[in-house]
Amino acid sequence: MNQNYQNHARLVTGFHKVLGPLLLLGFIGSLFNLYKSFGNDTFYSASLITLLFLCGIFLFWYTRSFPLKAQDRAIRSEENFRYYLLTGKGLPSELSMGQIVALRFAPDEEFPGLVEKAVSEKLDSKSIKQAIKNWKPDYYRV
């Protein structure tokens, strides 16, 4: 399948659509259980279950955010190098990380012009992606 603006977002079914909701539902259920057990013998167990679900939610969040930060750093470096090869200059410092991530989908022919347009018109990442005429897919981002 060819990647384009409409289908470039990546959702992993087991992670985003199964594990995320299960953790959220389990946490809500554990809070209800904790409330119901307040003042009786099961309060300690209920609090441990709530704590475990809270730890699971933190793991879910950081398991996704840490690799994305590392990939963002790699993308910034790659796109800066690509811009340098095409123009002899580094990427403008006015670009945000979101803009740079969006620009990675632009082919070499469109890239320098789109960089200048993104800076001058302060385009957000969605507008940058929509302005790309010939989408350059990125199948490696997690």
Side-chain angles (χ1 to χ4, degrees), residues 35-108:
Y35 174 77
K36 293 296 247 176
S37 69
F38 190 75
N40 66 35
D41 295 342
T42 61
F43 182 74
Y44 180 71
S45 299
S47 63
L48 288 178
I49 291 169
T50 302
L51 180 64
L52 286 173
F53 271 105
L54 187 59
C55 289
I57 289 170
F58 279 122
L59 278 170
F60 179 82
W61 176 261
Y62 288 118
T63 298
R64 184 77 178 133
S65 66
F66 288 161
L68 287 180
K69 288 288 184 192
Q71 286 183 348
D72 286 349
R73 289 180 59 147
I75 288 169
R76 178 187 300 275
S77 179
E78 290 168 356
E79 297 310 308
N80 192 33
F81 183 59
R82 179 164 74 128
Y83 190 73
Y84 179 78
L85 289 175
L86 295 170
T87 66
K89 304 180 288 188
L91 275 174
S93 61
E94 298 88 3
L95 289 173
S96 70
M97 193 63 233
Q99 290 172 307
I100 295 169
V101 169
L103 285 163
R104 81 186 188 279
F105 295 111
D108 289 349

